[in-house]
Structure formats: structure tokens, C-alpha cells
Amino acid sequence: MRILGTGSYLPQNKLSNEDLSKLVDTNDEWVVSRTGIKSRHLVKDENTSDLATKAAKAVLETTGVDVRDIQLVIVATSTPDVFIPGVAHQVLKNLHIPNAMAFDVNAACTGFIYALDVATSLMQTHAFKYGLIIGAEAFSKVIDWHDRNTCVLFGDGAGTVLLENHQEKNQIIYTSCTAIPDVDDVLKSGGIAVNNPFNRQKTDNFFLGMKGQEVFKFAVRVVCESVNKALVETGIDAQAVDYYVLHQANSRILDHVAKKLSVPSEKFYSTLEDTGNTSAASIPIVLDVMDRKQLLKKGMKIVLTGFGAGLTYGTILIEW
Ligand code: ACO
């Protein structure tokens, strides 16, 4: 499986910590020191499918792959525009992809890792030539903009990789995804209540709720566990990895993981300052930013690790 290209898209509209301090009782110093985030991009006249479409369009343009050759589209998202059709089906329509297996994956912030894992297997099983794997989120839709505990953390955006089923070249050398039950509901959004002739419940809270310190501890623990498992199973030393591209939740999580793995924090590339936490979109956005900055060189070993609600987590090791 070959990674033919990457793409990303961030809404133009930005919200700085300074802007946020006019909405809730917070300040730039608190947010930067706790999270590393200075500003985030938020949708205005766009929705998740627009972000996904624009990220996918970018990679199609740079690689020159014809939409008629795309046989698989997976969108990792937990903030779709509508319940049906899926965001992947809206991408199909927007980009005039005539015929492809298409579906959404919801594994929260680990969604892109799950999607890439599933795509690798599916493309081999069905001998698909090209697959678009997208992470896209408009998380700002499910945030309570009066809750300073959560609203400072998130942003909107999309990222994508274009996979080619290449017989000689395999860049995805290890995949592992899992989930453990979130018994204490440390990370959970509201939903749509049952409303039918038998039960007329009211939907009262749609917003994301989070037990921040529990999430922090979970993240550091499972990321280290997942990365170490990948390194042991592939026989690669932690120091031999060129970059660790982790889900961008919080710079302190990245620093703690770097310390625990005894790896220099410079190997943990981050876009948090400008993007905030874009959930399932964060890993492909980082990859695209790094690729455009020409930081990724042929043969480099890169660990991708996601973690999030579910509680989900997973690691993919790629060779660029
Ligand atoms: N601005 C100012 N003060 C704030 C803010 C804010 N935005 N948010 C909370 N506070 C206050 C709290 O009210 C509290 O005040 P109090 O002592 O008077 O009660 C104080 O700051 C400390 O609150 P804590 O929640 O203990 O703050 P903490 O140091 O744990 O930092 C944070 C909170 C940044 C959320 C931290 O717990 C964390 O990084 N958790 C990881 C969670 C995360 O990254 N989630 C992302 C989504 S999940 C994912 O992507 C997988």
C-alpha cells in the first residue's frame, strides 16, 4: 500500500484565545500554558462534508488521479452534516466520483487511524486501485460555547491521504486499533432522544462533556502502551522513529508521552497552536502540513497514534 499524496483544508474563519476571552471567562495565558493552543479555525458557511470535499480535492489535484479510478472513500468523522447520507457519500457527489465503496467511520478522535487500518485491509481484499481516506470534523457544532472547560480546545478542519494499492511498495508496515469501555463516561456528547409513539423523551443537551484530567491520564497511558507495542512487534527502536504524529489534543499530552518514551519532543510535530483539536482530522492535517514543509523524506519511519472517546486508540507505523 502506497501513500500517493496528502491534502488538508482549514476554514478561513479563525477564533483566537483573545476572541474567546470575550465569550467565556478565560485568557490566552491559561489556554496556551494548559494546551498549546493559540487559535482555531471554525466553520461559518461550511459543514463537515465541505471540509472533507476540499481536503480530498487538494490531494486529487496534486496527484492527478482521475476520480473514475477512486474505488474507496472512507470519511472518519463524529460530526457528520446529517445522519444519512454519510459524509463519504456527499464527497462522492461533490467530486463526481462515479462509483466507489463509500462509508463513514466513527471512532471519535481515533477515527482516522481506524479508517486507514480498515482501508488497508479492504483495498487488499478487493484489489481496489485507489482509496481516499479522509478525517473531517466540524466539532464546533457540538461544543457548548458557554463552557470554558471544553470550548477552548476544539477547532474544525479536514485532512486526507490518497492510497494506491501498489504491489511492490508497502508504506503501511504496522496497524493496530482497539477500544476499551468508557465506564466512567469521561468523554461523551449528548444525542438525540427516543421520540416515538411509545416514548416521547426530550433532547436536552447535545454538547460534548469531558472529565479533563481523566482523559489526560488515559491518553498518556494508552499512547505509550500502543506505541511500545508497535515498536516491539516491528522490532524498531523508539529512537529510530523519525516522527511521532499523535492526535492533536493538547501539547502537554505530547510532552508527557515524549518524556515517557525518552524521545526528544521535536520528533512530535504539532499544529495545535493554529488548529486546536480537530478530532479525527488532526493526524492527516499534521501529515499534510509536514509534507508541504518537505519534512517527510523517503524511507523515514513515522508513528501515527490516535486516542479518543469510546475509549478508542490505535497506532499505525508508516515508512514514507
Ligand atoms: N480558562 C480559565 N480557567 C479555566 C478554563 C479556561 N478555559 N477551563 C477550566 N478552568 C479552570 C477550572 O474551572 C478550574 O478552576 P477552579 O480551580 O476554580 O475550579 C481550574 O481552571 C482548573 O481546572 P482543571 O479542569 O483542573 O484544569 P486542568 O489543569 O486539568 O486543565 C485541561 C484542563 C486542559 C482540559 C486538562 O485537563 C487536559 O489537558 N485534559 C486532557 C483533555 C483533552 O485534551 N481533551 C481533548 C478532547 S479529548 C480528545 O481529543 C481525545
Side-chain angles (χ1 to χ4, degrees):
M1 212 55 58
R2 185 173 161 207
I3 297 172
L4 207 57
T6 62
S8 65
Y9 176 79
L10 297 167
Q12 276 204 334
N13 205 34
K14 288 182 81 167
L15 188 77
S16 68
N17 292 343
E18 186 66 32
D19 299 329
L20 261 174
S21 67
K22 291 171 193 141
L23 298 177
V24 290
D25 182 14
T26 191
N27 57 75
D28 183 60
E29 194 280 320
W30 194 98
V31 182
V32 172
S33 63
R34 297 297 210 291
T35 71
I37 301 166
K38 286 193 178 164
S39 77
R40 64 288 289 146
H41 297 249
L42 300 188
V43 290
K44 204 171 171 188
D45 304 317
E46 298 166 306
N47 209 325
T48 305
S49 65
D50 301 303
L51 310 183
T53 300
K54 287 171 187 174
K57 199 164 178 235
V59 75
L60 288 172
E61 276 169 10
T62 52
T63 56
V65 168
D66 193 308
V67 288
R68 286 171 296 192
D69 294 326
I70 302 289
Q71 291 171 298
L72 175 69
V73 179
I74 307 181
V75 177
T77 187
S78 35
T79 52
D81 307 20
V82 288
F83 290 126
I84 46 173
V87 177
H89 311 116
Q90 289 164 290
V91 169
L92 228 61
K93 184 164 114 180
N94 294 345
L95 292 177
H96 310 290
I97 298 171
N99 197 331
M101 184 180 192
F103 60 95
D104 292 358
V105 162
N106 180 350
C109 300
T110 320
F112 181 78
I113 298 296
Y114 269 63
L116 203 51
D117 191 346
V118 169
T120 307
S121 304
L122 274 178
M123 286 180 67
Q124 276 158 0
T125 306
H126 297 292
F128 290 150
K129 181 84 174 135
Y130 295 109
L132 268 175
I133 319 307
I134 304 166
E137 303 275 18
F139 233 80
S140 58
K141 296 188 294 184
V142 295
I143 297 300
D144 178 354
W145 289 95
H146 298 102
D147 175 13
R148 68 177 182 174
N149 291 298
T150 52
C151 76
V152 300
L153 303 174
F154 294 93
D156 303 332
T160 182
V161 301
L162 180 57
L163 287 186
E164 180 188 18
N165 198 343
H166 199 277
Q167 296 310 314
E168 280 94 60
K169 188 163 180 175
N170 182 29
Q171 289 181 266
I172 300 185
I173 50 184
Y174 172 91
T175 66
S176 174
C177 289
T178 194
I180 53 172
D182 182 5
V183 284
D184 296 321
D185 288 340
V186 299
L187 206 46
K188 197 178 175 193
S189 76
I192 305 292
V194 173
N195 182 7
N196 65 22
F198 302 103
N199 188 351
R200 298 222 180 266
Q201 288 176 343
K202 277 208 175 94
T203 298
D204 51 13
N205 181 3
F206 194 71
F207 300 123
L208 182 88
M210 180 187 73
K211 294 177 184 158
Q213 289 179 7
E214 300 310 313
V215 174
F216 193 98
K217 282 184 249 168
F218 153 76
V220 174
R221 180 174 65 80
V222 299
V223 169
C224 292
E225 187 185 300
S226 185
V227 170
N228 279 326
K229 181 170 170 276
L231 297 175
V232 168
E233 290 184 18
T234 54
I236 296 169
D237 190 80
Q239 310 303 326
V241 173
D242 296 283
Y243 282 110
Y244 290 83
V245 175
L246 265 50
H247 164 51
Q248 305 285 294
N250 180 318
S251 59
R252 286 198 308 154
I253 293 177
L254 305 186
D255 292 343
H256 270 66
V257 170
K259 215 167 159 189
K260 282 198 151 214
L261 293 176
S262 306
V263 169
S265 54
E266 297 76 54
K267 286 195 174 187
F268 287 68
Y269 194 86
S270 176
T271 58
L272 272 161
E273 188 177 300
D274 172 58
T275 61
N277 178 347
T278 56
S279 186
S282 81
I283 290 175
I285 289 173
V286 174
L287 275 181
D288 186 51
V289 170
M290 292 180 77
D291 194 25
R292 278 188 283 119
K293 289 195 167 174
Q294 300 184 333
L295 294 171
L296 304 176
K297 312 276 184 224
K298 195 169 177 289
M300 275 186 167
K301 291 188 174 48
I302 304 161
V303 162
L304 313 178
T305 301
F307 52 92
L311 297 163
T312 53
Y313 56 101
T315 290
I316 292 186
L317 218 153
I318 59 178
E319 194 173 278
W320 200 251

